[in-house]
Amino acid sequence: MKKLIILLMMIAGITYSCSDYLDFQPKTLLTPEAALNSEEDVIFAMNGVYSSLQKAGYFGTEFVIIADAATDNGNWPADRESAGTNHDRLPFAYSLDLNSNNTATEFWTDGYITIASVNNILKRLEEVSFDESFEDRVTAECLAIRAMTHFDLTRIFAQDYNFTPDQSHYAVPYMFESVPGSAPGRNTMAEVYQFALIDINQAITLLDDLDGSEVSNFRGGDDIFFINYYSALGVRARMYFYQGDYEKALIDSDVILDGPYSLSSYTTVQHIPLDFTLPATFLDEWYRIAPVVEEEAIFQLEVDEDDGDFANRSFIDIYLANDGNAAHGASAALLALFEPSDLRNYWFVDEPSTPAPDRHVYKYPGSLGIDADAHAIQIMRLSEFVLMSAECEARTGSQSRARILLNNITARANASPVTSTGNQLIEDIITERRKELSFEGHRLFDLKRLQRGFTRGSDCTLSNGNCSITYPTHLYAWPIPVNEINANQIIREQQNPGY
């Protein structure tokens, strides 16, 4: 297997140091034999892995923000002030003024820190004997996270799976081991999918025989905060879906639909958040810290400003006005898709100082005032797979079942049922994905897998030509960050075209 590592991980390890003489590193980045000697040590290291997933570069903000801001879902709020234009608020995610400095630098770094962490744990599991079921559980979680993270990195830094007929275009380096000092080249998209499917298939096989009790003595919190059988299936279903293998995606997605989840209700509630003078209406199932929409949550994270690098970088800071600091908002074109009766209109709230229709995104309100920067991050929930099964059925199977699945989503939202057939039904499902999964990290990647551009509405005031994007475009494969280019001669010669 290739020995791969990104030099930035070594830099990232230094940033954790309390001081040079302490020579401190987190357990997930130490050489395995120096740290992971007991089951408690391994679980402590796994907690570090999950913390990496919620860092600001990954699900904490950057990866998720880009997926909507860089599309026809995004907009710059009219009341955005100077703080909202700061580089760490990702203004280039909407403007698409991309270069090796204006890119998803933190996601590249945090993604490979996550991968290095699971690789260290997997290496130690090969060297030391633990309880067999414990080893199987940890191995499965590590393999699933390694597959998911590489897959997610391709979604930002590479073109879509079918961009070339044989998937020979560059994706990202696939790291099986973390070897300090090596300089990896980029694997092709075909190779990344091949390796990731090997990882995720093994994870699913292991998890199918486990129930979580293997690690329960060492771990607190609900099962939805950790990888389980269904979230591993969700990773594979997404991969098949993005390949265009709708038959296989449908099989996995339907298993999830038959799992221990149900669609959460959407009900309204009124609150008076800080800085509001009058009550405002919200969706109650989302107006909380975590878990949110608990009945359908498959994999979820909880973050707050004390969890590492979240101060001034949570979704609450990015989306809510916060005295003019809001950096990203919802486009008028997206808001216009919701009928007046649609309960999901309450994901977008008129703040006291914000004139309609420039409503701010309140899909992540947290508790608003109880813990100002705390909120849940929805990585996977049942609604995604209801809509995935609906689209797969519409393309390959039963259009009648596709409509039933789709209308489970519209009925909950108090929206009109869909009655279309044929290609129009497929389009209606894609539109429903755009609405239901808005600001959860899907829109850009849907456009890419469908090989479609987009046109932003009249509220797009960009002067750089990026109010309308035509497929294919170099803007769908973001530039490899400059620090990686400078440190790695091989990748320097493999930079994405257009940068």
Side-chain angles (χ1 to χ4, degrees), residues 85-99:
T85 68
N86 291 345
H87 191 271
D88 69 342
R89 305 301 178 93
L90 311 174
F92 50 88
Y94 177 70
S95 69
L96 295 175
D97 287 322
L98 303 181
N99 55 56

Side-chain angles (χ1 to χ4, degrees), residues 392-468:
C392 292
E393 286 281 20
R395 292 181 182 277
T396 66
S398 166
Q399 291 199 0
S400 176
R401 180 172 184 249
R403 279 190 298 274
I404 291 171
L405 290 168
L406 173 59
N407 285 325
N408 285 335
I409 301 296
T410 61
R412 172 182 62 179
N414 198 36
S416 299
V418 173
T419 60
S420 55
T421 61
N423 288 336
Q424 185 57 53
L425 175 58
I426 295 172
E427 292 303 314
D428 288 340
I429 295 168
I430 292 168
T431 298
E432 196 61 32
R433 280 181 63 89
R434 181 182 177 186
K435 293 190 291 183
E436 178 65 31
L437 303 178
S438 61
F439 302 98
E440 293 182 45
H442 293 274
R443 179 60 175 167
L444 174 62
F445 312 131
D446 276 341
L447 290 168
K448 288 176 65 172
R449 72 176 175 87
L450 296 166
Q451 298 189 328
R452 297 179 181 183
F454 59 88
T455 299
R456 290 161 165 162
S458 58
D459 56 337
C460 178
T461 59
L462 296 175
S463 59
N464 61 1
N466 290 338
C467 287
S468 182

Side-chain angles (χ1 to χ4, degrees), residues 30-107:
L30 283 171
T31 31
E33 60 270 18
L36 309 182
N37 296 309
S38 68
E39 292 181 350
E40 289 88 348
D41 288 339
V42 172
I43 292 300
F44 185 83
M46 284 301 300
N47 290 341
V49 171
Y50 286 102
S51 292
S52 291
L53 292 179
Q54 65 189 43
K55 286 175 70 65
Y58 203 171
F59 291 110
T61 45
E62 194 167 84
F63 176 74
V64 180
I65 297 297
I66 288 169
D68 284 277
T71 74
D72 48 359
N73 276 4
N75 194 13
W76 281 335
D79 63 348
R80 185 179 68 139
E81 297 179 1
S82 59
T85 68
N86 291 345
H87 191 271
D88 69 342
R89 305 301 178 93
L90 311 174
F92 50 88
Y94 177 70
S95 69
L96 295 175
D97 287 322
L98 303 181
N99 55 56
S100 57
N101 288 300
N102 281 356
T103 188
T105 301
E106 287 190 73
F107 176 44

Side-chain angles (χ1 to χ4, degrees), residues 325-399:
N325 291 345
H328 295 281
S331 67
L334 173 64
L335 296 175
L337 294 175
F338 296 97
E339 303 169 81
S341 63
D342 195 320
L343 295 172
R344 294 169 297 188
N345 282 297
Y346 296 114
W347 282 333
F348 311 98
V349 176
D350 294 327
E351 297 186 355
S353 60
T354 304
D358 187 28
R359 293 180 288 171
H360 286 264
V361 177
Y362 269 75
K363 205 168 192 178
Y364 303 95
S367 57
L368 288 179
I370 299 173
D371 191 348
D373 282 306
H375 60 78
I377 299 174
Q378 196 67 256
I379 298 179
M380 288 184 191
R381 63 184 178 106
L382 189 64
S383 294
E384 174 189 349
F385 298 99
V386 171
L387 292 167
M388 182 183 292
S389 287
E391 184 175 337
C392 292
E393 286 281 20
R395 292 181 182 277
T396 66
S398 166
Q399 291 199 0

Side-chain angles (χ1 to χ4, degrees), residues 12-32:
I14 295 171
T15 64
Y16 283 90
S17 300
C18 296
S19 65
D20 291 341
Y21 69 87
L22 287 176
D23 194 25
F24 171 79
Q25 287 181 306
K27 286 192 174 184
T28 49
L29 292 181
L30 283 171
T31 31

